[in-house]
Each structure stands twice: as structure tokens, then as C-alpha cells.
Amino acid sequence: MIYGRDFEEEAMKIEELIGDMGEVTIRGKVLSVDTRDIKNEKTIIIFNMSDFTDTMTIKMFVRTEQVKEVTGDIKPGAFLKVKGICMMDKFDHEVTISSVSGIKRAEWKEEKREDHALVKRVELHCHTKSSEMDAVSDAQALVKTAKGWGHTALAITDHGCAYAFPEAAHALSKDDDFKLIFGCEGYLVDDLKEIVVNSNGASLDASYVVFDIETTGFHPSKNKIIEIGAVKVINGEITDRFSEFINPRVPIPFTIERLTGINDAMVCDAPGVEEILPKFLSFCEGCVLVAHNASFDTSFIRYNAEQLGIEFPPTYVDTVGLARFLLPHLGRFKLDTVAKELHVSLENHHRAVDDAGATAEIFVKFLPMLKKKGFETLDDIVEKAVMTPEAIMRMPTYHIILLAANEVGRINLYRLISMAHVKYFARRPRFPRSEIMKYREGLIIGSACEAGELFRAITGGESDDEIAKIVSFYDYLEIQPTGNNEFMLREEDSPYKTREDLEALNKKIVQLGELYDKPVCATCDVHFLNPEDEVYRRIIMSGKGFKEADF
């Protein structure tokens, strides 16, 4: 016994304690201890205990001369059994245990986690507390744990920084046969993303079809086109229009109906895509295609053309890319934002023919701006339209893993991190693809998680050619446990409904690795070390507004 009377009651789980429950017994590990002197030569001893289901505050009132004797055994790391009254504390307004009648030492057998795999793995995607508001792991604890489990190496890959490198390195001695891999999970910006695809030497004075589509979702292989709208531009003038509904033969989701105003009644008598798409492609014959966020629109056209056995190798121009190049001062490049900047009327936004008409007027205004810069062909845009740092700061980002293979790689990694913070920082440190390619020597580049460029291309229905191009940039591809991506199953409009759907995405990445001779690495995207630490990260994620935090 440490304090009070002996007792033999079985301990309850702390997570089961709610409100005023009267006398209870708990058992756990002391996390912290504090003492405060109060009136009449008395002291309040406050300590927190955890049984790894939850944590409870215990308050004891003792005579001041007893404090040294009592707190000698109540110290952080000690395992105790406590009996007292569970009640709502009127001062802290939290459930606490007070009126303690007994404290004694408790036996506690902490399970030592071990790795019993015959062939040990190497974790190549691991975060520490230096990943701001994201991870809760201590760098030294990660290294010591991996080494204790018999692993031969570990990669530290915090978000956009190298702060944890010294701490992780100090966890090892010079004689340790353990390789610490210095790395970083960067925020990739594709500043080399083509504004024009398959330029084929086309003149700026060519004939263009500016088009837009409305769909039931964001995934070409899983969602349907419900409307195609297009306008033809010849010699800078709008000369013809195309507008057709398409019967998707599935109900239109309420969110899409609310966004576009298109409902089931409006498309139920419309022809199917097998009839409308050939008409649209005939309308486009001999013209360069133009769209706002063209990769999205063309991905649906391409997928449906493939299903119908129609070849679709278009030349197309993306007005989002043009806007970034010609209007770098804009904070956003959505259609309505660009239209407002150029004084283009945009009525019935999110209806295909109206959006296509507005995009056409925007494109017509872009043409003289391009000619003023000396551009005469689409090839000129491909060669000379270089993104400024200001434009890069406003472009979307993807996750990417950068690992230093040697000292040259470590120096280049530092260069990229420095530039990301000093030259390209906007809400997060950004890593332009052009800079990565410039300082690629000594680096090993991985495709990262579901927020990576490859994963997003697959789920976004990019063409096989585009995916092949993306794969070619990486030294290895990553797959991760389906549990990491289960949030996708709970998204309202997600086409992924089962764990098997998530496994299929991993299998697709494995197949790509086999097809293009790229190693495929199973990583965990580690953000906490022990299972009981998960709750701390959940709190952080909840504080950042993530709806999935409690899952």
C-alpha cells in the first residue's frame, strides 16, 4: 500500500467511467504529477493515470507534511491501482476521481510489440512530429523501434521539411548497422503540365471547337455523360453551336442535379451516348478542341470513344493552363473567376452549352494576348509558356516522396526544400516538377499516397498514355493498406463502395509496376507509432476540420 486502506476490488476500464458513479477502482500508468499548496497546511496532489483506453485525473487532499511520503511512489511511469469516488469536478468541470481511500502498486505487464516476420521490411514513408499538425511520432522512438524489430533501415519523410533529421540521427551510434534514409514528402506542382496536348504545329488561327460536358460524377469509367455543349470558333468568331442531352440510363445524383439543374426528366427521352458521341466527334472534325480543365472533359470523351471502338487522338488546349500563364495575378482559375476578369458573361453556370460559350469567348480573348507575346502556333505555347513562381503558387499540388540515395542527393534534397519554402511557398512548400528534374541527381522518387499524382490519375480516369507518362517519372511506385483509404468508401459521391474496390486500385498500381518495370513498395504512411497513439492524431485531424477524423 502507498496510501489509505487496502482493497481488493477489480479495476474498471477508465473509458467506462461516466459522471457521478460513486466508488470505483481503476488501474493504470501515471502520466504526470502536480502538487499545489492550499489553506490550513494542506496540499492537493493531482495526477493523471491512463490504462490506454482513456485517461483520468485523480485529486487527493493531504496534509503538507505527508506530501513527500505519498508522492515518493506516485511518479510518472509508475503503475498504480486507485480506489476513490468518481464524480464531476465542480472546479475543472470534468469527470475526476477524488476522496481517494486507497492507492497501491499494481502489476502491469506491458506487451512488447515485436516483428516476427522472417523477412523484415523497410518503411519508406514515415512521419514524425515535424510534419506540422499531422503526425505524433517521436523521431528517436521510431528509429529505435525499427532497429529493435530487426529492420535494417527507415526513411524519415516529413511534409516539406528536414527538421527531424538531427534527432533521428542522434538515435544511432556510429557503430549501429542501421541505415537512416533522409527523405521528404513534398508537395509536387506540375509546372510542366501541358497547356496544349498533341500540338501538331497547329496555327493560332486554326479552327477550334470549344466544348464542355456535364456528368454524373468525376470518374469516366464509373460515371456517365449527361450533356455535351460546344461552339465552333473560326477566325476568332463563333460560327456554330452543338448542344445535346444524353440519357445516362442511371439516376442522376441529387448533388449533380442541384449543381447543374439537370434532372432525370430532362434526359429520360434523350438518346444514349452511343448516338450522341459520334455526332459530337463529327462536329469537331478538323478542329482543335478547347476546354476549361480539358483533361477532365477529354477523359470522358476518350473513355466513351474507346467503349464504342472510335479512335480519339485529339489536339486540345486547356484554358486553365492558359489562364495561369496569361493571368498569373488571379488567385483562382475557375471558369467564373476567369470570365469575370475578362468581362465575359457567364449565365447558367454548370450547363454545358453555356459554359462552352463562355469558355469560347475567353479563348477568343486569349488569342491576341498570345500573339502579342510572339506566339504564332500551338507549338510555340508548348515551348515558351513557362510558369512563373506566382503561377506555381496557385497551382494544385500532389504528394511526392523524395529520398536521398547519397550525399549528392541529400544536398539536392536540401536545395529543393529551401526553394519550396523561400521561392514557392503558398500555404505549403511547393516542389515544381521542373526544379525536381533539375536537381534529381542522387534522389529516389516515389509516387506517394492517395494524394499522389499517380493515384489521382488512376481514380480520375486518365488515359493509358497519360498514366504511362506519369509512371515514367517515378523510380518506384507505392501502395498502402486499404485502411488508409477507407475514407473513400464513405464519400457521398465516391464510386468506390467496397474494400475490394480499394484493393483493385492497389492491384492496378502493381500491374503498372510490372508493365513498366518499376519496383512497387508497400508503405504504411506512418503517422503514429503505437495503436494507443492513434487518438492523438485523430484529435489533430478533427481540429483541422477533417470529417473522417473519428473513423
Side-chain angles (χ1 to χ4, degrees), residues 187-189 391-397 416 419-421 424-432:
Y187 296 97
L188 170 69
V189 175
I392 289 171
M393 292 177 189
R394 292 173 172 84
M395 293 179 72
T397 59
L416 290 170
M419 283 190 291
H421 281 267
Y424 301 109
F425 190 94
R427 298 185 65 185
R428 58 183 66 93
R430 294 162 182 262
F431 294 68

Side-chain angles (χ1 to χ4, degrees), residues 1-56:
M1 288 297 298
I2 297 173
Y3 174 83
R5 300 185 301 273
D6 194 10
F7 57 97
E8 298 298 332
E9 287 86 348
E10 287 294 320
M12 297 176 62
K13 290 182 179 179
I14 294 179
E15 66 179 354
E16 296 174 352
L17 302 182
I18 50 173
D20 298 328
M21 295 182 63
E23 198 167 62
V24 298
T25 300
I26 64 170
R27 182 179 65 170
K29 181 179 181 179
V30 178
L31 303 179
S32 62
V33 182
D34 188 20
T35 61
R36 299 176 192 169
D37 292 332
I38 55 178
K39 295 179 181 179
N40 302 323
E41 297 184 350
K42 286 190 176 182
T43 298
I44 180 171
I45 301 173
I46 305 171
F47 60 99
N48 295 308
M49 277 178 51
S50 174
D51 64 355
F52 305 108
T53 67
D54 206 338
T55 300
M56 180 61 63

Side-chain angles (χ1 to χ4, degrees), residues 252-268:
I252 296 176
F254 175 70
T255 52
I256 299 299
E257 181 180 337
R258 186 172 55 187
L259 178 68
T260 64
I262 301 172
N263 57 43
D264 293 330
M266 297 167 69
V267 300
C268 64

Side-chain angles (χ1 to χ4, degrees), residues 90 97 130 175 209 418 475:
K90 294 180 181 179
I97 292 178
S130 295
D175 300 328
V209 167
S418 297
D475 296 309

Side-chain angles (χ1 to χ4, degrees), residues 308-468:
L308 297 173
I310 302 173
E311 288 190 8
F312 181 66
T315 296
Y316 65 85
V317 180
D318 186 0
T319 52
V320 173
L322 283 178
R324 288 195 182 107
F325 175 62
L326 296 171
L327 308 171
H329 57 280
L330 289 183
R332 303 169 71 189
F333 301 94
K334 296 178 71 172
L335 183 59
D336 53 349
T337 306
V338 178
K340 183 178 179 180
E341 173 71 13
L342 296 176
H343 307 292
V344 171
S345 174
L346 177 57
E347 298 179 1
N348 298 318
H349 188 24
H350 295 300
R351 284 298 305 273
V353 69
D354 296 290
D355 285 356
T359 304
E361 291 186 48
I362 289 169
F363 181 66
V364 167
K365 292 196 174 189
F366 278 161
L367 289 174
M369 296 168 70
L370 289 168
K371 290 177 180 178
K372 189 175 180 180
K373 290 180 177 291
F375 296 177
E376 297 179 356
T377 67
L378 297 184
D379 286 345
D380 291 337
I381 298 175
V382 173
E383 294 171 7
K384 302 175 185 177
V386 178
M387 291 297 169
T388 64
E390 290 74 19
I392 289 171
M393 292 177 189
R394 292 173 172 84
M395 293 179 72
T397 59
Y398 304 95
H399 289 195
I400 184 173
I401 298 296
L402 307 170
L403 304 178
N406 49 39
E407 281 300 292
V408 173
R410 183 174 64 84
I411 293 169
N412 281 336
L413 179 63
Y414 291 161
R415 283 195 178 108
L416 290 170
I417 291 173
S418 297
M419 283 190 291
H421 281 267
V422 175
K423 189 175 180 180
Y424 301 109
F425 190 94
R427 298 185 65 185
R428 58 183 66 93
R430 294 162 182 262
F431 294 68
R433 190 190 301 275
S434 58
E435 299 287 14
I436 293 174
M437 294 177 69
K438 183 177 179 181
Y439 296 105
R440 184 166 188 155
E441 184 181 356
L443 293 176
I444 302 171
I445 301 178
S447 62
C449 53
E450 58 79 28
E453 178 186 29
L454 176 60
F455 199 98
R456 292 290 173 88
I458 293 171
T459 57
E462 291 288 354
S463 68
D464 290 342
D465 289 343
E466 181 64 20
I467 288 175

